[in-house]
Each structure stands twice: as C-alpha cells, then as structure tokens.
Amino acid sequence: ELKVEQNPLFLSMQEGKNYTIYCNYSTTSDRLYWYRQDPGKSLESLFVLLSNGAVKQEGRLMASLDTKARLSTLHITAAVHDLSATYFCAVAYNQGGKLIFGQGTELSVKP
Amino acid sequence: KAGVTQTPRYLIKTRGQQVTLSCSPISGHRSVSWYQQTPGQGLQFLFEYFSETQRNKGNFPGRFSGRQFSNSRSEMNVSTLELGDSALYLCASSGAGGGTDTQYFGPGTRLTVL
C-alpha cells in the first residue's frame, strides 16, 4: 500500500528565512505533485515532478525529486507572508488519476 | 479556459438522507477524480472516472458511488448519510488521467450532515 508522509506538519517561519518541507513515499511511483491550499479554498497545482533528479522552480519555491530515496523536497527561499498556506505532496498510485496525499504542512510566515 | 466547476458549493443534509454532487471538468479533459477532505483523515481518494468507466477506486463503503457522462461531467452520490460524511468533497480533472497530466481541482462542495 502506498503511503505518503510529510514533515514537518506545522512550520512557523520568519520572513526572509529559508526552509525545506520533506515528502517521503513508500513505493515506486512515476509522478509526484505539490499543491498549495489556502484556508477555505481548493488545491492549487504548484509542480509536477516526473523523473529522478527533476528540479522545478517557481518564484521562491523549488521542488526536487529523488526516486531512489523516494523523497521529494519543497524548498522555500526568503519566505514572505504570502506563502502562508498548507502545502501537500501527492504521489500517483498508478498510471491513472489516483493520487495519494501526504498529511499536509501548514506553513505560517510571520513578519 | 474555464476551470473545474462543482455544484452545489454548500449542502446541509440530515442523517439517512442521500446527496448528489456534480462536477464539470475543464473542457477537453476526460478524467475526473473525486476526493474527500476532512480535518481528521486529510485528503482521501474516492474514485476516478475516465471515458465513462470507473478506472480507480478508493477504500470507501458502497454508499459512495459515482458516474460519468459522455460529456465527461461526473456525479457523485452518497446514500444513507452518516455524521462522518461531513467533509469537503473535491473533484479534479485531467486530460487523460495519467502520464504527465496535472490534476486541476474544483472549488469543492462542503457537505454538512446533521
């Protein structure tokens, strides 16, 4: 059974600091996704990672994938308040549209 | 391009009733997946439909069912509602439901069971 674990689950950061969210998964998969969710809102797609060593960056967020270690990271550079949200990683179960989500990391960026 | 739409946005039902939720995918998308989000269990996969056929199924009881129409619109039905069914129900659409496709999520339907 595919399991996805994120850590930390809660993260309080100061503006300007860097931090990393980790996503571990238990079995082989060919796709890993990162999503953002603001309170009371739906999920916004951030990144899709498809191959070992894949790295994608958008603004202050950078995601990477190590399929051998079954690990993805979401790195936050020089955090700003607007990044406060809950971040989820999700791993594709098979070739179809079934995603298994991590527990989410609630990020709070304080001035 | 219009995004994924879900109706209704909010629902209040009582135990024992049944409910039907609707999801219209992004134009051209053929796969629709449904998820349940609760504070205790997080985001859990319910089922996926592709070209009117259920392609994947999660670990939910048979009270939860769905279908997809020829225009790719999907409905989810929950019969004999229980208090624990209170949740945000999200649907997501993707082009072919696999490969490099990203799943795009709708705004969700918030169901409250009293």
Side-chain angles (χ1 to χ4, degrees):
Chain A
E1 183 187 349
L2 175 57
K3 292 186 179 179
V4 182
E5 292 189 352
Q6 289 181 234
N7 72 83
L9 299 184
F10 298 94
L11 181 52
S12 182
M13 298 176 63
Q14 281 196 310
E15 280 191 331
K17 299 292 187 184
N18 304 333
Y19 210 82
T20 300
I21 299 170
Y22 297 88
C23 174
N24 288 92
Y25 54 100
S26 59
T27 62
T28 302
S29 174
D30 62 355
R31 282 169 288 145
L32 189 139
Y33 301 82
W34 284 95
Y35 286 91
R36 167 182 171 148
Q37 186 175 39
D38 291 293
K41 304 286 188 180
S42 188
L43 298 172
E44 174 191 353
S45 175
L46 295 174
F47 302 108
V48 181
L49 302 169
L50 302 175
S51 59
N52 188 44
V55 176
K56 290 197 174 179
Q57 183 163 6
E58 181 74 33
R60 301 174 188 275
L61 301 178
M62 183 174 71
S64 66
L65 178 61
D66 181 345
T67 58
K68 293 178 182 176
R70 296 177 191 152
L71 170 69
S72 179
T73 60
L74 181 65
H75 186 73
I76 302 155
T77 302
V80 293
H81 179 69
D82 285 352
L83 290 179
S84 297
T86 298
Y87 293 85
F88 292 93
C89 66
V91 178
Y93 180 79
N94 54 22
Q95 288 299 310
K98 179 176 180 177
L99 298 184
I100 306 299
F101 280 82
Q103 310 97 307
T105 296
E106 187 177 333
L107 172 65
S108 174
V109 181
K110 301 183 187 306
Chain B
K1 210 174 197 181
V4 179
T5 58
Q6 292 186 244
T7 57
R9 294 292 310 279
Y10 301 91
L11 265 179
I12 299 176
K13 293 285 187 180
T14 56
R15 279 181 299 173
Q17 287 187 309
Q18 76 166 19
V19 66
T20 299
L21 313 182
S22 180
C23 173
S24 292
I26 292 171
S27 178
H29 283 190
R30 298 165 63 191
S31 168
V32 174
S33 297
W34 289 88
Y35 295 84
Q36 181 196 66
Q37 185 176 28
T38 60
Q41 299 299 317
L43 277 154
Q44 294 185 284
F45 174 82
L46 282 155
F47 29 66
E48 178 204 7
Y49 285 88
F50 178 74
S51 293
E52 301 179 64
T53 301
Q54 188 179 87
R55 185 160 70 171
N56 280 294
K57 190 176 187 306
N59 297 322
F60 279 80
R63 300 185 297 107
F64 293 81
S65 63
R67 59 177 175 168
Q68 187 180 34
F69 301 95
S70 58
N71 62 357
S72 293
R73 189 177 70 86
S74 177
E75 286 183 347
M76 188 189 101
N77 185 273
V78 187
S79 63
T80 319
L81 283 166
E82 301 177 358
L83 295 179
D85 297 333
S86 294
L88 179 67
Y89 290 89
L90 295 163
C91 82
S93 78
S94 62
T100 62
D101 289 344
T102 295
Q103 288 193 22
Y104 296 93
F105 282 79
T109 294
R110 185 163 297 281
L111 172 64
T112 302
V113 182
L114 302 176

